[in-house]
Amino acid sequence: MIARSTLYTAKGGDTIQALETARGLVRNGIAVDLKLTGETIHYQDYDLLHFFNITRPADILYHIQQSGKPYVVSTILIDYSEYDKHYRNGLPGIVFRLLSSDSIEYLKAISRRILGTDKLMSLSYLWKGHRRSVKEIVKQAKLLLPNSNSEYKRLKERYGCNGNYRVIPNGIDPALFSFDHSIKKDPNLVICVARIEGIKNQFNLIKALNNTRYTLMIIGSPAPNQLTYYRECRKVAGSNIHFIEHLPQEELVHYYQKAHVHVLPSWFETTGLSSLEAAVMGCNIVITDKGDTREYFGTDAAYCEPSSPQSIFEAVEKSASISAGPGLRTKIISEYTWQQATLCTIEAYETVIN
């Protein structure tokens, strides 16, 4: 398994997905090594390569060119363009408004290399560009592994792919996230578990709940390149807003258990992994209406418009006024666990290798 170089230093949902998938496969007797893209890999030791994040094609191009091995891709296709084009501040915002989505991602990749925050693994990415690189990876992949049918549909519409795919659901660990019905929820406690960065939209969430009856706990560390955004969030936050650094999942259980509402008002989500975790712990869910979230949460969540603090507030009010029913918890435990994801991944591997 090969993932981005910042998988551990800038932890996100893909960090959990990669680690939990690897653990599940090992428990099922499959030899797995999880490598960062900059590590030296002895390709001859492996039957199959499994990549994460199609939005970082330079990482993938290098290894498929060097290895000649069959590969699958957990696409995790996040669309940053609405935030980048309309709500990002400063010079990047001005420039990004003039560019296509793929050109924006190309410029970001080059910028990370120039600033020294990440490597550019494949020089061919420079002349192929972002869009052509993604299309090449998708075309040559033995199997694509999106987190939902909705994600694959977006991938197909954007890059014209017609390859085979298998949905691998995102999941939770039911042994870890075990809801205790005897512990009373705090009706005014709202939490948001996410890395602090523009696309997660904590700024508008703060504006929505500032100086209200709610206590908002924002749990997560700022993304390394979004410290200015983090400082803006801290600056506007009222006395009812609290910030807690990134916590391991074992420590999140306490906050999920006490909170009545979990909010993820992002500009885009493929799933919203923390929303799955919160929901199985009895939280009512407020989530963005951008991305693939409806395939997971259906009518069991309140949806908000990320650009509107008023919409976010109204969705929180709606969720805070009702008790969480068992329907979504039951659905998650039966369909969205890491064990389910592991079994689907094994079937995908067998299809490729056979």
Side-chain angles (χ1 to χ4, degrees):
M1 294 177 135
I2 303 173
R4 60 184 170 90
S5 63
T6 54
L7 191 72
Y8 303 121
T9 56
K11 294 179 179 178
D14 61 335
T15 308
I16 302 299
Q17 182 177 340
L19 289 172
E20 291 291 346
T21 302
R23 289 179 188 134
L25 292 169
V26 169
R27 283 195 295 266
N28 281 269
I30 296 174
V32 176
D33 291 321
L34 178 56
K35 303 280 191 178
L36 303 184
T37 187
E39 293 185 58
T40 299
I41 300 173
H42 300 290
Y43 304 110
Q44 69 274 12
D45 295 341
Y46 304 98
D47 300 302
L48 183 68
L49 304 183
H50 182 166
F51 295 102
F52 293 81
N53 288 317
I54 197 71
T55 50
R56 289 176 174 254
D59 290 353
I60 301 173
L61 279 177
Y62 173 82
H63 293 288
I64 64 177
Q65 290 164 353
Q66 294 294 315
S67 70
K69 290 284 184 178
Y71 66 90
V72 299
V73 185
S74 289
T75 47
I76 317 178
L77 181 63
I78 300 174
D79 188 347
Y80 295 90
S81 60
E82 182 172 2
Y83 169 72
D84 284 335
K85 283 175 169 290
H86 302 293
Y87 302 101
R88 188 181 283 274
N89 295 325
L91 181 60
I94 296 171
V95 174
F96 289 168
R97 289 183 188 96
L98 305 174
L99 301 175
S100 68
S101 300
D102 291 310
S103 296
I104 291 172
E105 293 305 319
Y106 179 79
L107 188 58
K108 285 182 190 176
I110 303 303
S111 299
R112 288 193 295 265
R113 173 63 182 88
I114 293 171
L115 296 172
T117 58
D118 205 352
K119 296 179 180 180
L120 189 69
M121 291 299 297
S122 174
L123 292 179
S124 67
Y125 177 76
L126 291 173
W127 61 81
K128 288 180 179 178
H130 189 85
R131 180 176 179 81
R132 184 178 163 195
S133 296
V134 172
K135 293 185 76 169
E136 181 177 318
I137 292 165
V138 166
K139 183 178 180 181
Q140 295 181 22
K142 295 299 182 183
L143 205 59
L144 300 174
L145 308 178
N147 290 138
S148 64
N149 287 295
S150 172
E151 183 184 344
Y152 179 76
K153 182 180 179 182
R154 290 189 297 103
L155 189 71
K156 185 175 180 179
E157 289 173 349
R158 184 163 169 176
Y159 296 108
C161 60
N162 287 297
N164 294 325
Y165 77 101
R166 174 68 189 265
V167 172
I168 310 295
N170 251 331
I172 58 96
D173 179 354
L176 175 61
F177 296 107
S178 178
F179 179 49
D180 188 341
H181 293 269
S182 68
I183 299 177
K184 188 176 180 181
K185 292 277 188 182
D186 181 341
N188 293 324
L189 179 57
V190 178
I191 63 174
C192 171
V193 178
R195 188 167 56 200
I196 300 174
E197 56 186 336
I199 197 168
K200 296 297 183 181
N201 201 30
Q202 287 95 345
F203 187 81
N204 277 349
L205 173 58
I206 292 167
K207 290 173 67 176
L209 297 189
N210 246 353
N211 304 312
T212 63
R213 64 184 174 90
Y214 298 106
T215 297
L216 171 62
M217 290 187 174
I218 295 176
I219 303 174
S221 298
N225 61 340
Q226 300 249 342
L227 295 178
T228 299
Y229 181 81
Y230 173 65
R231 287 191 287 268
E232 289 174 350
C233 288
R234 296 290 302 236
K235 184 177 180 180
V236 302
S239 60
N240 64 319
I241 314 295
H242 305 277
F243 293 82
I244 299 172
E245 288 288 307
H246 171 84
L247 294 174
Q249 288 187 300
E250 294 79 9
E251 295 181 35
L252 287 175
V253 172
H254 166 75
Y255 294 94
Y256 287 143
Q257 180 69 60
K258 292 293 291 182
H260 189 56
V261 178
H262 180 270
V263 189
L264 204 57
S266 313
W267 294 102
F268 199 92
E269 287 289 344
T270 55
T271 304
L273 184 55
S274 61
S275 294
L276 285 178
E277 295 168 351
V280 85
M281 292 294 294
C283 296
N284 282 334
I285 301 303
V286 174
I287 199 164
T288 180
D289 64 351
K290 312 283 187 181
D292 310 310
T293 52
R294 290 184 187 271
E295 187 166 323
Y296 277 79
F297 298 99
T299 59
D300 293 312
Y303 295 89
C304 64
E305 165 53 50
S307 65
S308 169
Q310 182 63 29
S311 171
I312 297 169
F313 176 76
E314 290 172 357
V316 171
E317 284 272 83
K318 178 182 177 181
S319 295
S321 67
I322 58 175
S323 298
L328 183 55
R329 289 186 64 249
T330 302
K331 179 182 178 181
I332 292 170
I333 291 170
S334 65
E335 298 180 27
Y336 301 132
T337 66
W338 292 120
Q339 176 62 15
Q340 288 280 8
T342 298
L343 295 176
C344 291
T345 303
I346 291 171
E347 290 176 5
Y349 288 176
E350 289 175 341
T351 298
V352 172
I353 291 173
N354 291 337

